[in-house]
């Protein structure tokens, strides 16, 4: 591979790293062509960009960025595929779906500005709530006390209204 081609690939990987908030490093080497095609199709449906990379080029892309990704360097061995996603737990759920086959195998991830190293962190990643889910939870929590206050005011309003009416009649 020519030096210019490598430089272009490094720039493309770096652009993807900046475009997506989260990425997962996986090993899909043992998949045959049909299973790889199915995985790519499923990734596409769920808004995940799957890219197979050379470890040295990925490390150079990491080094070209301002953020420090050095925690991921030790896992850059063997075959590596990156799953890029803007939803934190979508790739984890996909990997978890195929865990019986052990492929794709999770090597590590960078999710919500945190590093997760090793396959044993998969359940933690599956349980991470997406931004939309967190906003929904906050809205639900905020609505509950407001509903209680409104219902108390409405029920108390009838009582106060009854008292005022009785007093005005006397």
């Amino acid at each position: 591979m020519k030096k210019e081609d490598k430089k272009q690939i490094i720039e493309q990987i770096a652009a993807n790293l900046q475009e997506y908030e989260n990425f997962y490093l996986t090993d899909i080497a043992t998949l045959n062509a049909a299973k790889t095609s199915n995985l790519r199709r499923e990734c596409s449906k769920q808004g995940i960009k799957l890219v197979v990379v050379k470890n040295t080029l990925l490390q150079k892309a990491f080094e070209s960025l301002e953020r420090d990704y050095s925690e991921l360097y030790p896992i850059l061995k063997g075959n590596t595929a990156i799953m890029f996603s803007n939803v934190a737990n979508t790739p984890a759920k996909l990997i978890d779906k195929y865990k019986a086959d052990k492929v794709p195998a999770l090597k590590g991830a960078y999710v919500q500005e945190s590093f997760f190293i090793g396959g044993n962190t998969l359940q933690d990643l599956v349980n991470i709530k997406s931004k939309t889910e967190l906003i929904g939870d906050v809205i639900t929590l905020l609505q509950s006390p407001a509903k209680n206050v409104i219902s108390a005011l409405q029920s108390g309003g009838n009582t106060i209204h009854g008292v005022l009416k009785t007093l005005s009649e006397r």
Side-chain angles (χ1 to χ4, degrees), residues 7 20 30 71 81 116-117 130 149 151 154:
K7 184 178 178 185
Y20 292 91
T30 59
E71 287 188 51
F116 296 84
I117 308 297
S130 68
V149 169
S151 66
Q154 287 174 340

Side-chain angles (χ1 to χ4, degrees), residues 59-166:
Q59 185 168 340
K60 289 185 187 292
F62 284 151
E63 292 168 353
S64 72
L65 299 171
E66 292 177 16
R67 186 170 280 132
D68 180 20
Y69 293 103
S70 59
E71 287 188 51
L72 297 173
Y73 295 171
I75 61 172
L76 296 179
K77 293 181 171 98
N79 295 300
T80 303
I82 308 175
M83 296 174 129
F84 293 103
S85 177
N86 283 323
V87 180
N89 61 0
T90 304
K93 288 179 180 178
L94 183 63
I95 293 168
D96 191 48
K97 180 179 175 181
Y98 291 102
K99 72 180 173 188
D101 298 334
K102 297 181 181 171
V103 177
L106 178 67
K107 294 168 80 174
Y110 179 77
V111 176
Q112 296 178 345
E113 299 182 9
S114 298
F115 295 98
F116 296 84
I117 308 297
N120 58 339
T121 62
L122 182 60
Q123 283 308 309
D124 295 336
L125 291 164
V126 168
N127 294 329
I128 287 178
K129 292 192 176 197
S130 68
K131 192 178 201 177
T132 307
E133 291 170 327
L134 285 174
I135 290 170
D137 288 351
V138 168
I139 289 171
T140 302
L141 289 171
L142 291 174
Q143 283 180 342
S144 180
K147 286 179 183 177
N148 291 341
V149 169
I150 290 169
S151 66
L153 288 174
Q154 287 174 340
S155 66
N158 292 337
T159 307
I160 293 171
H161 177 66
V163 169
L164 291 175
K165 186 176 178 185
T166 306

